[in-house]
Amino acid sequence: MYFYIFHWSSNGIPEVLKGTVADPATFMTERELLLSEEYSKVKNFIFFILTPLEWLVYLFILGTGLSRVFEKWSELGLKWKVIKNGAYLFFLYLFTAILFYPVDLYRYNLSKKYGISTQDFSSWMRDYVIDFWVGFITTLIIVIVLYWLLHISKKRWWLYAWLLTIPFAIFMMYIQPVIIDPLYNEFYPLKDKALEEKILDLADQANIPSEHVFEVNMAEKTNAMNAYVTGIGDNSRIVLWDTTLNQLSESEILFIMAHEMGHYVQKHIYIGMAAYILSTLVGLWLISKIMPWLIDRFGQVLKIKEMKDINSLPLFLLLISLMLFLSNPVSNFVSRYQESRADEYAMELTKNPEAAVSSFQNLAKTGLSEVNPPFIVKIFRYTHPSMLERINTVAEYTKKEK
């Protein structure tokens, strides 16, 4: 991957698009082009080494007997199985967090170096600690229920676990906007009431029930821009980063909001939920077949006796990580299709292709985005179409309309 990303791949612009609005040379300076190329290559390389590194860490924890050590520590002075499993997870979670901390710190410093992050170290550490506890508590609930099911049903645990993931996923989507997101940033009603009225007018045209647009203070953390519609039911929210408000014109903001509304109108949230539920079913079933086979064959090497023992958790996490990585091309393809559909909806709603083009150009500039990423990088990393494709789609749409 190093040679592919840094030496073999070409992210040049097709001849037919050179000099057009999709060509980054027309809207980015030479320095921005250089920084974009450098930053993208480093980020892409980190992505492709981190996942295999995660697999190696889990194998190391199992093969060295460290998992058994965590299990013994969790049994000291504790009676209840649930509490013991929770203690084991804490030791495992803390160990991996410490192990990957240098990588996370490097990524933070990299983002600062290239002018994407504006966050000071103390603020970043605060978010890092919040991430740790939010991730730990969420995982703790899953692990406790999962290993309880493994104890009561050796054959059908995967089916029961899958059935329980459905209400849990819906619950997490419901509380995300009002409990989890505010832990990181302050949300408040949009200060620009004239703009809020125009956004709500778009929402009304799209039949989105909303009385307020929320603004979030991201300028103290990043120069990147974003906007989204999140949550379900009464907790659904239209959210704008203040960086988007500060750096884009009104027409560009309205186009971006129309794009986010397109996801809502076309039920992408619910389609994504259905896909998650289906993929979870397949994933749990595969693990129920693969994991016992691995324990039977390599249990002595991995130091695992039975799947229901909590020290088998690193193997469980390894298989999940492996399947997620292998499924990335499919999930990303679906996501890119949905993003394209949301772009088309936004163009239909706003009737302003110039704002669409300029908003994509500004997003690429501020985020130092790779306008035309290499093929393998695109299929494994990109949940959105490349900026080259998005801008060119607007141009094609305009031609079709004319």
Side-chain angles (χ1 to χ4, degrees), residues 272-326:
M273 176 64 73
Y276 166 78
I277 291 170
L278 179 61
S279 60
T280 303
L281 174 63
V282 174
L284 287 170
W285 178 79
L286 284 173
I287 289 175
S288 74
K289 302 299 180 184
I290 297 170
M291 199 164 163
W293 178 82
L294 287 173
I295 293 172
D296 286 341
R297 187 157 185 177
F298 304 105
Q300 193 170 1
V301 177
L302 299 173
K303 297 175 176 57
I304 303 173
K305 290 182 179 178
E306 292 186 85
M307 186 176 173
K308 66 180 182 179
D309 295 337
I310 190 65
N311 66 2
S312 69
L313 181 59
L315 181 59
F316 204 106
L317 296 174
L318 188 154
L319 290 174
I320 291 174
S321 177
L322 181 62
M323 287 190 289
L324 285 173
F325 181 77
L326 293 176

Side-chain angles (χ1 to χ4, degrees), residues 192-348:
D192 188 338
K193 295 304 175 184
L195 177 60
E196 182 181 46
E197 188 175 339
K198 291 178 180 178
I199 293 172
L200 291 176
D201 181 56
L202 280 179
D204 186 56
Q205 293 179 51
N207 294 317
I208 297 176
S210 188
E211 297 179 359
H212 299 287
V213 177
F214 287 88
E215 183 178 341
V216 55
N217 59 331
M218 290 298 296
E220 62 187 30
K221 293 184 178 181
T222 182
N223 284 318
M225 297 182 285
N226 197 15
Y228 55 90
V229 179
T230 186
I232 55 174
D234 297 337
N235 283 1
S236 60
R237 283 184 172 186
I238 300 173
V239 180
L240 266 170
W241 286 11
D242 58 354
T243 50
T244 307
L245 293 165
N246 297 337
Q247 298 179 63
L248 294 185
S249 66
E250 184 178 278
S251 59
E252 291 168 341
I253 292 170
L254 290 175
F255 172 80
I256 287 175
M257 294 313 300
H259 167 93
E260 299 304 328
M261 291 172 191
H263 288 303
Y264 184 94
V265 170
Q266 296 175 43
K267 311 296 183 187
H268 290 166
I269 292 174
Y270 300 102
I271 293 170
M273 176 64 73
Y276 166 78
I277 291 170
L278 179 61
S279 60
T280 303
L281 174 63
V282 174
L284 287 170
W285 178 79
L286 284 173
I287 289 175
S288 74
K289 302 299 180 184
I290 297 170
M291 199 164 163
W293 178 82
L294 287 173
I295 293 172
D296 286 341
R297 187 157 185 177
F298 304 105
Q300 193 170 1
V301 177
L302 299 173
K303 297 175 176 57
I304 303 173
K305 290 182 179 178
E306 292 186 85
M307 186 176 173
K308 66 180 182 179
D309 295 337
I310 190 65
N311 66 2
S312 69
L313 181 59
L315 181 59
F316 204 106
L317 296 174
L318 188 154
L319 290 174
I320 291 174
S321 177
L322 181 62
M323 287 190 289
L324 285 173
F325 181 77
L326 293 176
S327 66
N328 268 349
V330 176
S331 59
N332 287 346
F333 175 81
V334 173
S335 177
R336 289 195 300 270
Y337 172 76
Q338 291 181 336
E339 294 296 336
S340 296
R341 295 279 291 136
D343 284 346
E344 291 171 10
Y345 178 86
M347 286 183 278
E348 291 283 354

Side-chain angles (χ1 to χ4, degrees), residues 48-326:
F48 280 104
I49 62 171
L50 266 185
T51 302
L53 180 61
E54 183 183 3
W55 303 339
L56 288 174
V57 167
Y58 289 138
L59 288 173
F60 171 80
I61 291 170
L62 290 167
T64 59
L66 196 54
S67 183
R68 297 291 294 271
V69 172
F70 292 156
E71 185 179 27
K72 288 178 181 177
W73 287 354
S74 66
E75 292 174 348
L76 296 175
L78 300 175
K79 294 182 180 180
W80 300 96
K81 191 74 174 177
V82 169
I83 299 175
K84 289 178 182 179
N85 288 353
Y88 172 90
L89 177 65
F90 178 77
F91 293 131
L92 177 65
Y93 213 84
L94 182 63
F95 177 78
T96 54
I98 292 171
L99 208 60
F100 282 98
Y101 176 78
V103 179
D104 294 327
L105 182 61
Y106 173 76
R107 292 164 77 181
Y108 161 70
N109 287 324
L110 183 73
S111 184
K112 288 275 285 187
K113 175 184 175 182
Y114 283 91
I116 307 299
S117 174
T118 58
Q119 191 173 19
D120 60 48
F121 179 75
S122 60
S123 173
W124 177 79
M125 272 304 301
R126 176 183 174 275
D127 285 353
Y128 191 84
V129 172
I130 292 172
D131 270 341
F132 175 89
W133 286 109
V134 169
F136 171 73
I137 292 169
T138 306
T139 310
L140 178 64
I141 296 168
I142 296 169
V143 167
I144 286 174
V145 173
L146 180 66
Y147 277 85
W148 171 68
L149 292 172
L150 280 165
H151 270 274
I152 65 171
S153 180
K154 189 175 180 179
K155 291 184 177 180
R156 294 187 179 178
W157 66 267
W158 61 273
L159 181 60
Y160 301 141
W162 172 71
L163 290 171
L164 289 174
T165 61
I166 300 171
F168 182 73
I170 294 171
F171 173 73
M172 291 301 295
M173 283 187 66
Y174 190 77
I175 68 167
Q176 181 83 30
V178 292
I179 295 179
I180 297 176
D181 289 347
L183 293 174
Y184 297 89
N185 299 289
E186 181 184 356
F187 291 77
Y188 41 84
L190 185 61
K191 296 173 185 175
D192 188 338
K193 295 304 175 184
L195 177 60
E196 182 181 46
E197 188 175 339
K198 291 178 180 178
I199 293 172
L200 291 176
D201 181 56
L202 280 179
D204 186 56
Q205 293 179 51
N207 294 317
I208 297 176
S210 188
E211 297 179 359
H212 299 287
V213 177
F214 287 88
E215 183 178 341
V216 55
N217 59 331
M218 290 298 296
E220 62 187 30
K221 293 184 178 181
T222 182
N223 284 318
M225 297 182 285
N226 197 15
Y228 55 90
V229 179
T230 186
I232 55 174
D234 297 337
N235 283 1
S236 60
R237 283 184 172 186
I238 300 173
V239 180
L240 266 170
W241 286 11
D242 58 354
T243 50
T244 307
L245 293 165
N246 297 337
Q247 298 179 63
L248 294 185
S249 66
E250 184 178 278
S251 59
E252 291 168 341
I253 292 170
L254 290 175
F255 172 80
I256 287 175
M257 294 313 300
H259 167 93
E260 299 304 328
M261 291 172 191
H263 288 303
Y264 184 94
V265 170
Q266 296 175 43
K267 311 296 183 187
H268 290 166
I269 292 174
Y270 300 102
I271 293 170
M273 176 64 73
Y276 166 78
I277 291 170
L278 179 61
S279 60
T280 303
L281 174 63
V282 174
L284 287 170
W285 178 79
L286 284 173
I287 289 175
S288 74
K289 302 299 180 184
I290 297 170
M291 199 164 163
W293 178 82
L294 287 173
I295 293 172
D296 286 341
R297 187 157 185 177
F298 304 105
Q300 193 170 1
V301 177
L302 299 173
K303 297 175 176 57
I304 303 173
K305 290 182 179 178
E306 292 186 85
M307 186 176 173
K308 66 180 182 179
D309 295 337
I310 190 65
N311 66 2
S312 69
L313 181 59
L315 181 59
F316 204 106
L317 296 174
L318 188 154
L319 290 174
I320 291 174
S321 177
L322 181 62
M323 287 190 289
L324 285 173
F325 181 77
L326 293 176

